[in-house]
């Protein structure tokens, strides 16, 4: 868990980018899908409203034709004197009736043939109780039953108007539903209508006027003013009452609206409606949004496609981000390693252009840094060297004064040879220190310098301190920094024999593989060395010959040769001091 | 972690494709099942008269479906004129689509269909045994020696009489046995005088009575060949016309305008008799309050026509199979039911009142049953007996075409034209129309 968390932390950049991208992709996909669906739905509804209102117009014009036929039929029946006589006269003899019936039938057949191929059943019912029905399948009841039908009463109420009504399935009309156009037949001069004309149209035939325009979820129905569905392509609805639809249809027809959206029986529908004045019906077009739009607009497919695109995008983003951040991550890892005192951790230049540039720049920076550091070290070295050189060339005037004073005494004492020897030593010493500007000299030359220096000192201070040198012959040609041993010998001469008056100083030089070991051991007083400070700080003590102190020697060696080299001092009070110098050769 | 995420995404893709492919298979399954539904053959039957032909066909359907549970039979009611119109329209245009598998055709019209559209009907072959049916039905239902129709109801006619009215007028049922039309008119006058009731109803547009009269004497509108009009100098037809006019002049006829008023005429008790086909029995019996007041006597014969008998025919129809998709199933259905099922014929008699022309059925119980409505008379047996006596005539192709001419000439005749002139005019019109 912790490991995992750690990994997560390592990839926080990746996680952040990825999460943001995923959220945006999902959001964009969802929004676009939603907006597309919304837009196409609106477009669909608009288109549907437009085309369907045209369809309604077409249905209307078809129905107007039917209505015109009905009106014509009614006029023909109403104008026929034979038919009026049939419906008004009293029964006469068989023969007279025979003729009347025959001519009535003749007229009716002619009128029927004028209707043409339309399936319309005609019935007439006279005030005298006589009736005629052209086709028994439309109406098989007796004239009495026809008279008692509510449509007859309604026809009387309507005056001479042709009106349409719905006749439900009944035993008298072969179990069919009918739309009946009825008209009370009137004549000028007659107070009461003399008969009634019925024009039966099967609801199934009436339906043919519009079923071709309907489809699943796109229903057309006709409502009478009582809200009864008199015809519908959904046959199960025919005959039922639907006040909701009626209200909506009225609203649309009166308000001259294009369409209205409603929720009927839990379904979202678009309602288009119009009033048919000739029929006194409302034509209603119901479009089931879910069904029709569902078939046109495959929401599921749309969502699935959206999801697929989002998934692909997420996948791509995942790998892309992962790749992009990978080099960055390695960059970060490397950089964090660099901080641990190592400026040599160069990076491999890989990854994208940006990371490559960054790595290059970083590497360049490291390189520059290293160069700079090297330069700095070099400069410091040189500075120290310059310092030393300056020091080396500084002969302490006291040394000269003392030496010359000693020579003076020697001359006064008449020791001419010793004086000359001393002067020689001094000259050679001065020559070697001042004139020879080379930094390093051979051990041999160093020993010569030492000899001169010791000689001069012994001239001045007597022979109570003896110096013995033991030099391994193979070391003679090795190079050592100039005047490296002198400060220690001087130290031993002037500080080691304050209590003891005489003793020895041993100088040993030998080689151990690549290292030159030089030791200056005295048998003097020794001292208590502070354990922490191997090398006594001798800056304060005045140097007798040159400005070079012991401390300086050590620093110089360190500077020249590095860590393992340098000066170490061990001392035991009363027994003497041992100075070891390690130099590479 | 990377692997996990990849696997997840891959799984997501698989699901997506799986979903869409699922939807596809569903759709295919849907169309497949629709195809199957269409494949199981539905037999469509067209007929008219829901109380008679339709009811009979529904009985046959029930009997068949009991043995063949997956059979689909749809019986559709149309007016006879609609059926003729639709058949003519469809067959003329050469397509039988939109036409039914089985159609009921009136015997009068059968030949015109069979001869006009010889290839449109399916020969029944071995599905029925033609000799099992009444002889007079075989003429109209066959053509060129091949049997096309399954003979259905007998159009045998009788004279339905109101015994109570007759009694009031001083007659008994026995007085009406084997009478001729002159006697019938006399009785009618007496009945009208005593009871005020008319003797019969007639529709000026239906010369069924004329047809019954002439067939009883073995004559028809056409000669034996079935095409030559036989109106002028047709003594039988002339006598029928004269008898018809006498009925009118005797003022004993209640005129009706349509089927409903025809039914209303006797159901309301306005007439004393109905000279018509036996198929009216159910309608007569529908007025249950008149039970026991009716009897059926033999059809009156023409007085002067030498070979006139007390038996004739009116209407009657047969079932035909159209030569279109599903004909095999339709033939099988008809053969298994109306072509051979004796029990079905008993049921037809008891439940609907259809007297079939299937001879073996006459042996059944239902045919010998006494009918209380007719005062215990064994009417079915009587009708079956008269069926055998019906003179065989060739209805030919033009029964109704000629009748349309005769209706007009009848008017002229009733208005005073001499009968010979009327018939001669009809003859010349018929000859010019029928070629």
């Amino acid at each position: 868990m912790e490991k995992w968390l750690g990994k997560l932390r390592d990839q926080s950049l990746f996680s952040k980018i990825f999460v943001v991208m995923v959220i945006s992709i999902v959001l964009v996909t969802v929004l676009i899908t939603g907006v597309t669906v919304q837009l196409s739905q609106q477009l669909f509804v608009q288109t549907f409203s437009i085309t369907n209102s045209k369809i309604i117009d077409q249905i209307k014009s078809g129905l107007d034709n039917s209505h015109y036929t009905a009106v014509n039929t009614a006029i023909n029946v109403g104008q026929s004197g034979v038919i009026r006589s049939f419906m008004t006269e009293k029964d006469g003899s068989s023969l007279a009736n025979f003729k009347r019936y025959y001519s009535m039938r003749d007229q009716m057949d002619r009128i029927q043939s004028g209707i043409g191929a339309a399936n319309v059943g005609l019935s007439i019912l006279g005030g005298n109780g006589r009736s005629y029905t052209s086709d028994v399948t439309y109406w098989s009841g007796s004239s009495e039953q026809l008279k008692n039908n509510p449509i007859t009463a309604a026809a009387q109420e309507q005056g001479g108007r042709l009106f349409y009504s719905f006749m439900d399935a009944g035993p008298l009309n072969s179990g069919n539903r009918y739309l009946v156009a009825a008209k009370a037949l009137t004549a000028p001069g007659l107070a009461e209508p003399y008969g009634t004309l019925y024009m039966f149209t099967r609801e199934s035939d009436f339906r043919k006027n519009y079923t071709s325009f309907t489809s699943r979820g796109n229903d057309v129905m006709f409502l009478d003013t009582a809200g009864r569905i008199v015809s519908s392509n959904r046959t199960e609805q025919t005959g039922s009452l639907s006040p909701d639809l009626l209200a909506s249809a009225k609203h649309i027809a009166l308000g001259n609206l294009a369409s209205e959206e409603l929720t009927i029986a839990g379904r979202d529908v678009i309602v288009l409606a119009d009033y048919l004045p000739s029929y006194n019906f409302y034509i209603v077009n119901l479009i089931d949004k879910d069904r029709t739009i569902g078939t046109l607009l495959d929401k599921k497919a749309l969502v699935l496609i959206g999801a697929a695109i989002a998934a692909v995008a997420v996948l791509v983003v995942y790998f892309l981000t992962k790749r992009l951040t990978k080099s960055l991550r390695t960059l970060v890892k490397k950089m964090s390693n660099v901080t641990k005192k190592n400026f040599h951790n160069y990076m491999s230049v890989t990854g994208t252009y940006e990371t490559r540039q960054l790595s290059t720049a970083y590497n360049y920076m490291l390189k520059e840094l290293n160069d700079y550091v090297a330069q700095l070290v070099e400069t410091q070295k040189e500075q120290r060297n310059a310092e030393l050189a300056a020091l080396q060339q500084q002969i302490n005037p006291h040394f000269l004064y003392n030496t010359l004073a000693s020579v003076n005494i020697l001359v006064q004492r008449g020791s001419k040879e010793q004086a000359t020897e001393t002067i020689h030593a001094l000259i050679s010493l001065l020559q070697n220190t001042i004139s020879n500007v080379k930094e390093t000299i051979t051990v041999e030359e160093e020993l010569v310098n030492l000899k001169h220096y010791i000689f001069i000192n012994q001239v001045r201070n007597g022979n109570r301190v003896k110096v013995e040198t033991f030099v391994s012959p193979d070391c003679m040609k090795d190079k050592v920094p100039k005047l490296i041993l002198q400060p220690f010998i001087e130290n031993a001469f002037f500080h080691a024999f304050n209590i003891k008056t005489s003793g020895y100083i041993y100088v040993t030089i030998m080689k151990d593989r690549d290292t030159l070991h030089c030791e200056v051991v005295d048998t003097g007083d020794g001292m208590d060395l502070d354990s922490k400070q191997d090398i006594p700080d001798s800056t304060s003590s005045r140097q007798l010959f040159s400005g070079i102190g012991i401390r300086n020697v050590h620093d110089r060696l360190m500077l020249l040769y590095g860590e393992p080299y340098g000066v170490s001092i061990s001392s035991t009070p009363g027994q003497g001091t041992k100075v070891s110098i390690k130099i590479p050769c | 972690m990377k692997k996990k995420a990849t696997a997840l995404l891959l799984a997501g893709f698989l699901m997506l494709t799986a979903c869409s492919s699922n939807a596809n298979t569903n759709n295919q399954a849907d169309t497949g099942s629709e195809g199957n539904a269409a494949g199981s053959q539905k037999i469509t039957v067209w007929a008219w008269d829901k109380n008679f032909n339709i009811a009979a066909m529904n009985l046959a359907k029930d009997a068949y479906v009991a043995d063949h549970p997956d059979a689909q039979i749809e019986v559709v009611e149309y007016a006879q004129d609609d059926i003729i119109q639709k058949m003519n329209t469809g067959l003329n245009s050469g397509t039988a689509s939109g036409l039914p598998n089985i159609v009921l055709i009136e015997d009068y019209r059968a030949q015109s269909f069979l001869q006009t559209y010889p290839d449109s009907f399916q020969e029944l072959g071995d599905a029925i045994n033609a000799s099992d049916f009444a002889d007079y039905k075989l003429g109209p239902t066959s053509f060129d020696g091949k049997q096309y129709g399954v003979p259905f109801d007998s159009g045998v006619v009788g004279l339905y009489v109101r015994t109570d009215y007759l009694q009031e007028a001083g007659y008994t049922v026995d007085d009406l046995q084997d009478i001729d039309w002159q006697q019938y008119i006399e009785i009618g006058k007496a009945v009208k005088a005593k009871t005020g009731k008319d003797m019969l109803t007639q529709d000026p547009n239906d010369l069924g009575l004329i047809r019954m009269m002439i067939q009883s004497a073995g004559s028809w509108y056409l000669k034996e060949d079935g095409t030559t009009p036989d109106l002028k100098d047709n003594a039988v037809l002339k006598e029928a016309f004269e008898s018809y006019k006498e009925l009118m002049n005797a003022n004993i006829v209640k005129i009706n305008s349509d089927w409903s008023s025809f039914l209303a005429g006797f159901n309301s008790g306005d007439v004393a008799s109905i000279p018509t086909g036996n198929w009216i029995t159910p309608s007569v019996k529908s007025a249950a309050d008149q039970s026991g007041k009716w009897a059926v006597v033999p059809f009156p014969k023409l007085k002067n026509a030498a070979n006139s008998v007390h038996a004739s025919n009116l209407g009657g129809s047969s079932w035909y199979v159209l030569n279109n998709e599903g004909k095999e199933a339709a033939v099988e259905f008809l053969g298994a039911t109306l072509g051979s099922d004796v029990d079905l014929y008993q049921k037809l008699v008891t439940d609907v009142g259809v007297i079939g022309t299937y001879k073996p059925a006459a042996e059944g119980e239902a045919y010998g049953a006494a009918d209380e409505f007719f005062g215990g008379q064994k009417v079915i047996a009587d009708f079956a007996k008269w069926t055998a006596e019906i003179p065989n005539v060739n209805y030919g192709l033009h029964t109704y075409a000629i009748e349309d001419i005769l209706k007009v000439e009848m008017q002229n005749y009733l208005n005073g034209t001499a009968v010979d002139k009327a018939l001669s005019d009809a003859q010349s019109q018929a000859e010019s129309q029928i070629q």
Side-chain angles (χ1 to χ4, degrees):
Chain A
M1 184 71 192
E2 232 167 77
K3 198 178 157 195
W4 202 77
L5 270 177
K7 247 183 165 175
L8 204 67
R9 197 169 49 243
D10 280 352
Q11 306 201 335
S12 70
L13 180 65
F14 163 73
S15 326
K16 276 173 198 159
I17 293 177
F18 185 65
V19 165
V20 167
M21 289 299 257
V22 166
I23 289 173
S24 348
I25 287 169
V26 168
L27 220 63
V28 164
T29 318
V30 166
L31 280 178
I32 287 180
T33 311
V35 167
T36 310
V37 169
Q38 196 69 29
L39 274 181
S40 31
Q41 280 193 355
Q42 279 175 3
L43 188 73
F44 169 83
V45 169
Q46 270 177 8
T47 321
F48 228 108
S49 302
I50 292 166
T51 49
N52 277 39
S53 60
K54 292 205 169 129
I55 285 171
I56 285 182
D57 286 347
Q58 211 164 329
I59 295 173
K60 270 175 77 180
S61 76
L63 290 177
D64 281 344
N65 283 341
S66 304
H67 177 65
Y68 180 65
T69 310
V71 168
N72 261 346
T73 309
I75 289 170
N76 287 337
V77 170
Q79 285 177 346
S80 166
V82 171
I83 294 171
R84 197 202 301 180
S85 305
F86 171 77
M87 292 197 276
T88 48
E89 73 186 7
K90 287 202 156 55
D91 269 354
S93 71
S94 290
L95 196 58
N97 289 345
F98 189 88
K99 287 173 189 164
R100 177 66 66 210
Y101 275 67
Y102 178 81
S103 45
M104 177 280 297
R105 177 68 188 270
D106 196 42
Q107 283 286 322
M108 286 303 286
D109 282 351
R110 219 167 284 174
I111 290 165
Q112 178 98 49
S113 69
I115 295 172
N119 290 319
V120 176
L122 293 182
S123 275
I124 47 174
L125 172 66
N128 59 3
R130 283 177 181 175
S131 72
Y132 165 72
T133 300
S134 67
D135 191 330
V136 75
T137 55
Y138 289 101
W139 178 258
S140 62
S142 67
S143 59
E144 201 62 27
Q145 285 164 319
L146 194 56
K147 195 176 174 182
N148 293 334
N149 194 287
I151 293 175
T152 310
Q156 305 295 325
E157 275 175 34
Q158 294 276 343
R161 220 172 68 79
L162 179 69
F163 73 103
Y164 290 80
S165 48
F166 178 72
M167 189 187 258
D168 202 355
L172 298 176
N173 51 22
S174 302
N176 265 314
R177 287 152 166 174
Y178 289 91
L179 290 175
V180 184
K183 183 183 189 299
L185 297 169
T186 53
L190 286 177
E192 291 287 304
Y194 61 83
T196 316
L197 166 70
Y198 308 83
M199 286 170 273
F200 296 90
T201 307
R202 284 191 191 90
E203 195 267 327
S204 56
D205 287 328
F206 184 78
R207 220 186 297 145
K208 284 177 192 158
N209 284 317
Y210 61 86
T211 31
S212 55
F213 298 114
T214 61
S215 57
R216 199 166 156 273
N218 176 16
D219 300 324
V220 171
M221 52 200 64
F222 289 81
L223 296 174
D224 66 12
T225 44
R228 187 179 298 280
I229 297 173
V230 297
S231 180
S232 167
N233 64 309
R234 303 255 307 273
T235 46
E236 76 277 3
Q237 294 180 331
T238 310
S240 62
L241 280 167
S242 182
D244 291 352
L245 267 185
L246 180 70
S248 169
K250 274 186 175 164
H251 182 225
I252 292 169
L254 288 177
N256 222 0
L257 303 174
S259 63
E260 197 176 59
E261 297 192 19
L262 273 187
T263 304
I264 291 176
R267 297 182 303 130
D268 286 335
V269 291
I270 304 165
V271 184
L272 286 87
D274 205 347
Y275 176 64
L276 301 173
S278 47
Y279 285 80
N280 197 20
F281 287 162
Y282 289 94
I283 177 170
V284 177
N285 183 204
L286 275 190
I287 300 157
D288 189 318
K289 268 165 121 182
D290 284 348
R291 277 192 179 174
T292 42
I293 299 179
T295 53
L296 283 179
L297 188 75
D298 196 343
K299 265 193 218 167
K300 198 170 145 195
L302 210 62
V303 167
L304 286 182
I305 289 168
I309 290 172
V312 170
V314 164
L315 199 70
V316 168
V317 161
Y318 175 80
F319 286 118
L320 211 66
T321 321
K322 191 102 183 170
R323 223 177 105 83
L324 276 177
T325 52
K326 191 188 169 190
S327 35
L328 214 57
R329 230 168 29 245
T330 45
L331 210 63
V332 167
K333 231 177 228 170
K334 278 185 182 172
M335 281 185 172
S336 54
N337 280 344
V338 163
T339 52
K340 288 159 194 165
K341 283 188 180 173
N342 190 347
F343 291 107
H344 294 279
N345 247 323
Y346 289 102
M347 284 187 215
S348 51
V349 179
T350 50
T352 58
Y353 175 74
E354 291 84 353
T355 22
R356 279 204 311 273
Q357 286 299 105
L358 214 57
S359 303
T360 315
Y362 178 74
N363 284 350
Y364 179 74
M365 190 194 77
L366 267 193
K367 191 168 151 282
E368 287 287 297
L369 198 64
N370 280 328
D371 284 355
Y372 181 69
V373 168
Q375 217 178 343
L376 198 66
V377 168
E378 198 62 32
T379 320
Q380 273 187 356
K381 225 189 225 169
E382 275 170 15
Q383 194 188 343
R384 187 64 64 96
N385 277 345
E387 259 173 41
L388 277 173
L391 285 173
Q392 276 171 354
Q393 287 163 17
Q394 241 179 16
I395 303 291
N396 199 327
H398 280 277
F399 179 73
L400 279 178
Y401 164 75
N402 284 339
T403 310
L404 288 174
S406 301
V407 171
N408 188 31
I409 295 165
L410 284 174
V411 171
Q412 280 178 354
R413 272 201 321 224
S415 314
K416 226 166 72 185
E417 280 186 22
Q418 212 179 0
T420 313
E421 220 175 317
T422 308
I423 292 290
H424 270 296
L426 184 64
I427 290 166
S428 150
L429 196 61
L430 284 177
Q431 191 179 16
N432 273 339
T433 47
I434 297 163
S435 63
N436 193 350
V437 289
K438 280 193 290 181
E439 199 182 338
T440 55
I441 54 175
T442 58
V443 172
E444 205 173 10
E445 289 169 327
E446 178 70 8
L447 282 176
V448 171
N449 287 342
L450 262 187
K451 217 177 259 174
H452 289 139
Y453 175 72
I454 293 162
F455 180 76
I456 291 167
N457 268 336
Q458 283 175 340
V459 168
R460 277 173 58 194
N461 302 324
N463 261 342
R464 51 185 191 103
V465 178
K466 289 193 170 62
V467 179
E468 299 288 338
T469 57
F470 308 96
V471 179
S472 175
D474 57 340
C475 308
M476 281 310 191
K477 295 299 171 199
D478 290 328
K479 298 263 182 179
V480 289
K482 205 164 65 179
L483 290 178
I484 189 146
L485 296 174
Q486 184 274 334
F488 301 102
I489 291 173
E490 184 183 294
N491 209 35
F493 267 122
F494 294 100
H495 300 291
F497 296 97
N498 293 336
I499 303 163
K500 288 181 181 177
T501 51
S502 65
Y504 288 94
I505 299 168
Y506 303 104
V507 177
T508 319
I509 300 174
M510 56 185 184
K511 206 181 198 178
D512 179 16
R513 268 174 269 167
D514 291 340
T515 313
L516 201 65
H517 294 271
C518 306
E519 284 181 1
V520 177
V521 184
D522 65 70
T523 56
D525 302 338
M527 52 187 167
D528 260 328
L529 280 175
D530 192 345
S531 59
K532 280 177 190 169
Q533 198 180 357
D534 289 1
I535 302 158
D537 197 351
S538 56
T539 43
S540 58
S541 64
R542 270 175 54 90
Q543 300 302 311
L544 294 173
F545 173 66
S546 72
I548 305 166
I550 291 169
R551 184 80 215 172
N552 273 343
V553 174
H554 178 71
D555 288 348
R556 198 172 150 216
L557 289 179
M558 287 282 280
L559 197 63
L560 280 175
Y561 305 117
E563 187 69 56
Y565 304 101
V567 179
S568 58
I569 295 174
S570 59
S571 185
T572 318
Q575 289 198 354
T577 307
K578 180 175 141 193
V579 178
S580 300
I581 304 158
K582 276 197 260 174
I583 300 168
C585 58
Chain B
M1 178 184 168
K2 188 171 163 185
K3 269 189 179 171
K4 250 188 203 168
T6 316
L8 254 170
L9 283 163
L10 264 177
F13 272 120
L14 281 178
M15 270 176 66
L16 288 183
T17 42
C19 284
S20 47
S21 67
N22 254 349
N24 282 340
T25 39
N26 282 344
N27 285 344
Q28 279 162 3
D30 283 354
T31 47
S33 63
E34 275 164 24
N36 277 343
S40 80
Q41 192 48 247
K42 187 160 104 175
I43 302 173
T44 315
V45 184
W46 283 3
W48 64 90
D49 197 343
K50 71 174 170 354
N51 290 326
F52 196 76
N53 300 318
I54 298 281
M57 186 40 87
N58 279 328
L59 280 182
K61 168 183 157 183
D62 294 345
Y64 191 69
V65 170
D67 295 341
H68 305 79
D70 24 323
Q72 279 188 296
I73 299 162
E74 190 192 9
V75 185
V76 185
E77 185 195 2
Y78 282 108
Q80 197 191 164
D81 288 344
D82 281 351
I83 292 178
I84 292 159
Q85 188 198 341
K86 284 174 200 288
M87 289 279 290
N88 274 321
T89 314
L91 294 175
N92 258 320
S93 63
T95 168
S97 71
L99 292 180
N101 300 105
I102 297 171
V103 66
L104 187 68
I105 300 177
E106 204 181 7
D107 291 340
Y108 295 139
R109 303 181 194 269
Q111 284 299 310
S112 91
F113 275 108
L114 292 180
Q115 294 186 26
T116 315
Y117 313 107
D119 297 328
S120 299
F121 291 91
Q122 174 64 25
E123 191 196 343
L124 298 174
D126 297 334
I128 63 162
N129 187 2
S131 59
D132 283 343
F133 292 88
D135 294 342
Y136 91 96
K137 284 289 246 190
L138 298 181
T141 56
S142 64
F143 171 61
D144 213 5
K146 291 172 189 158
Q147 186 67 28
Y148 286 98
V150 177
F152 180 48
D153 64 317
S154 165
V156 66
V157 298
L159 181 63
Y160 293 76
V161 292
R162 279 289 290 263
T163 50
D164 51 343
Y165 292 163
L166 289 173
Q167 209 169 355
E168 210 175 314
Y171 294 97
T172 64
V173 172
D174 289 339
D175 294 331
L176 278 94
Q177 300 286 340
D178 301 335
I179 54 169
D180 59 33
W181 284 105
Q182 302 306 322
Q183 290 167 301
Y184 177 82
I185 291 166
E186 292 311 314
I187 295 168
K189 283 176 178 164
V191 168
K192 179 94 185 219
K194 288 276 168 24
T195 64
K197 305 286 182 188
D198 287 318
M199 190 61 177
L200 75 166
T201 60
Q202 277 299 301
D203 182 342
N205 273 283
D206 183 2
L207 296 187
L209 191 59
I210 300 289
R211 290 200 297 275
M212 288 186 274
M213 286 173 174
I214 61 175
Q215 191 174 359
S216 77
S219 176
W220 199 241
Y221 297 153
L222 300 158
K223 290 194 171 146
E224 285 300 304
D225 60 5
T227 50
T228 317
D230 183 19
L231 308 174
K232 191 186 174 191
D233 303 330
N234 183 338
V236 176
L237 184 60
K238 186 181 172 187
E239 190 184 348
F241 260 57
E242 284 164 351
S243 305
Y244 198 83
K245 189 171 185 177
E246 278 176 56
L247 282 170
M248 293 297 160
N249 286 336
N251 201 21
I252 56 171
V253 184
K254 179 179 169 57
I255 308 299
N256 64 52
S257 55
D258 55 15
W259 179 256
S260 308
S261 50
F262 171 51
L263 298 186
F266 54 79
N267 281 339
S268 59
D270 284 345
V271 290
S273 77
I274 324 160
T276 194
N278 67 83
W279 31 257
I280 203 69
T281 306
S283 303
V284 174
K285 286 168 81 170
S286 69
D289 57 320
Q290 295 171 8
S291 178
K293 294 177 178 172
W294 286 94
V296 184
V297 297
F299 196 70
K301 66 170 191 170
L302 290 170
K303 190 178 177 187
N304 302 322
N307 47 2
S308 181
V309 296
H310 291 286
S312 188
N313 178 69
L314 180 65
S317 39
S318 304
W319 301 98
Y320 296 84
V321 174
L322 283 158
N323 188 7
N324 57 15
E325 204 182 329
K327 60 190 179 188
E328 293 85 2
V331 168
E332 194 197 322
F333 162 64
L334 282 182
T337 52
L338 295 167
S340 59
D341 192 343
V342 174
D343 291 341
L344 172 64
Y345 276 100
Q346 309 306 311
K347 239 179 134 72
L348 288 179
V349 168
T350 50
D351 292 4
V352 186
V354 174
I355 299 174
T357 49
Y358 186 59
K359 288 181 197 163
E363 313 297 324
E365 254 177 54
Y367 278 68
D371 195 332
E372 285 310 316
F373 189 88
F374 295 103
Q377 187 184 353
K378 294 175 180 172
V379 279
I380 306 297
D382 284 343
F383 277 126
K385 191 179 79 191
W386 300 329
T387 299
E389 298 169 9
I390 299 171
N392 192 1
V393 296
N394 187 353
Y395 296 137
L397 306 180
H398 312 295
T399 299
Y400 285 110
I402 291 171
E403 182 149 315
D404 281 342
I405 296 166
L406 285 178
K407 278 182 214 166
V408 181
E409 290 307 325
M410 176 62 84
Q411 291 296 314
N412 294 337
Y413 171 52
L414 291 179
N415 283 336
T417 312
V419 65
D420 288 331
K421 169 99 174 52
L423 289 178
S424 142
D425 286 351
Q427 174 80 18
S428 51
Q429 279 183 57
E431 279 170 357
S432 66
Q433 271 185 33
I434 303 156
Q435 284 304 329

